[in-house]
Amino acid sequence: MSSILQSTTTPTAGTRWRVANPRTWFAHTRVHIQEHPIQAASSATIFAGFIFMAFPGIDLAVSRWAAAGDADFPLSREHALRLLRDFNRVIPLLILPAVATMLAAQIAAPRAWLPRPHKMLFFLTFYALGPGLAIQLLKRLVGRARPSEIVEFGGTLPFTPAWQVSGACSRSCSFASGESATAIALITLAPLLPVRWRRTAILALIPVVLAFSLNRIAFGAHFLSDVVLAWLLMLWIMLWLWSVFAAHGARIDTALTRGRRPIES
């Protein structure tokens, strides 16, 4: 009985002050994210989706800024930005075969200097389920027209908010952004690195992810919500999938290497 009463009792004045004090919000949020990353990612995804659906004008305002007020997106003709887009598209074609080759080598003859098999399998599985399956399903199901295709920017198709199912687009649709998904997917390289390098690698990747993703808004290829929700959805899938692979890492390594478990890298 005492535990039931304690779980529903009114907080003390000191507790109420700590919760209400804005100075503690950031610290509490950081602790919550560290202790419950999957829940935090799912909450952020749901909250961001609600904001973009409740205030669809955010997408139009940002795209209008990128279009410089005209029915055109002048930055889409910038040579440097086009090279940046092309580089983002090439990266998965280079990294995925490289990781697959390392995984095959590690399975054939475990090596201490290569990442453990479950880490590389996580990387490949995430790319297949996240940027591959989830994003492509969303594009087909939602059918959102791209900014450059809608009436507001000189096109012929109607604007629709994020998550609203539409028949405006049938292929290569706007929601969600595939390039933004593959950009933030680079973070899944972190578990393949030694622990001492992971934080630095993630921090170094942040401006890369921003450049690749925001470039798509400047091109008129995606709305802000396409980019932000692609990031959050990929983080959600990434964290959930990593929790599964990390929990069963030793078992996966043993199965793939037939008991010849490699040394932790």
Side-chain angles (χ1 to χ4, degrees):
M1 178 64 71
S2 60
S3 62
I4 295 175
L5 293 174
Q6 288 171 358
S7 67
T8 58
T9 188
T10 303
T12 63
T15 303
R16 286 199 303 269
W17 164 249
R18 288 195 299 271
V19 172
N21 184 3
R23 296 178 183 178
T24 67
W25 291 350
F26 179 76
H28 285 307
T29 301
R30 183 176 61 182
V31 170
H32 177 73
I33 292 173
Q34 291 174 345
E35 295 181 352
H36 308 283
I38 301 174
Q39 181 182 348
S42 63
S43 299
T45 304
I46 294 169
F47 177 75
F50 171 78
I51 292 297
F52 282 114
M53 290 183 70
F55 305 99
I58 295 174
D59 275 334
L60 289 173
V62 173
S63 292
R64 188 168 289 112
W65 172 81
D70 300 322
D72 189 16
F73 291 87
L75 291 177
S76 64
R77 294 185 290 274
E78 290 291 331
H79 182 64
L81 295 183
R82 295 177 72 87
L83 287 177
L84 185 66
R85 177 204 60 189
D86 294 340
F87 182 52
N88 183 25
R89 292 176 175 177
V90 167
I91 287 177
L93 301 179
L94 300 175
I95 295 180
L96 289 172
V99 174
T101 301
M102 288 193 297
L103 176 59
Q106 189 72 305
I107 292 173
R111 296 167 174 82
W113 54 274
L114 285 175
R116 288 174 58 181
H118 78 274
K119 297 179 179 180
M120 292 184 281
L121 187 60
F122 155 73
F123 178 85
L124 297 172
T125 303
F126 169 74
Y127 258 92
L129 293 181
L133 181 61
I135 293 297
Q136 296 310 314
L137 280 177
L138 283 173
K139 285 180 178 291
R140 289 181 177 274
L141 290 174
V142 176
R144 188 186 200 187
R146 296 178 183 271
S148 59
E149 299 171 336
I150 65 174
V151 173
E152 286 82 352
F153 301 108
T156 58
L157 301 177
F159 166 77
T160 54
W163 289 115
Q164 178 175 314
V165 176
S166 168
C169 171
S170 59
R171 61 182 301 273
S172 187
C173 303
S174 189
F175 184 82
S177 172
E179 276 96 343
S180 299
T182 55
I184 202 164
L186 293 173
I187 292 177
T188 54
L189 288 170
L192 307 185
L193 302 173
V195 175
R196 65 181 181 277
W197 294 350
R198 291 177 188 174
R199 182 182 295 272
T200 301
I202 291 174
L203 292 175
L205 282 171
I206 290 175
V208 176
V209 172
L210 289 172
F212 285 157
S213 302
L214 299 182
N215 192 39
R216 303 303 291 153
I217 298 176
F219 270 46
H222 288 289
F223 295 102
L224 178 64
S225 59
D226 299 333
V227 169
V228 172
L229 290 172
W231 287 343
L232 294 174
L233 282 167
M234 292 304 101
L235 282 175
W236 189 354
I237 296 172
M238 186 188 306
L239 292 168
W240 170 77
L241 199 61
W242 174 244
S243 71
V244 175
F245 275 81
H248 301 281
R251 189 177 304 172
I252 295 171
D253 292 344
T254 300
L256 290 177
T257 61
R258 298 178 296 279
R260 298 170 297 165
R261 181 177 175 179
I263 300 173
E264 175 68 58
S265 58

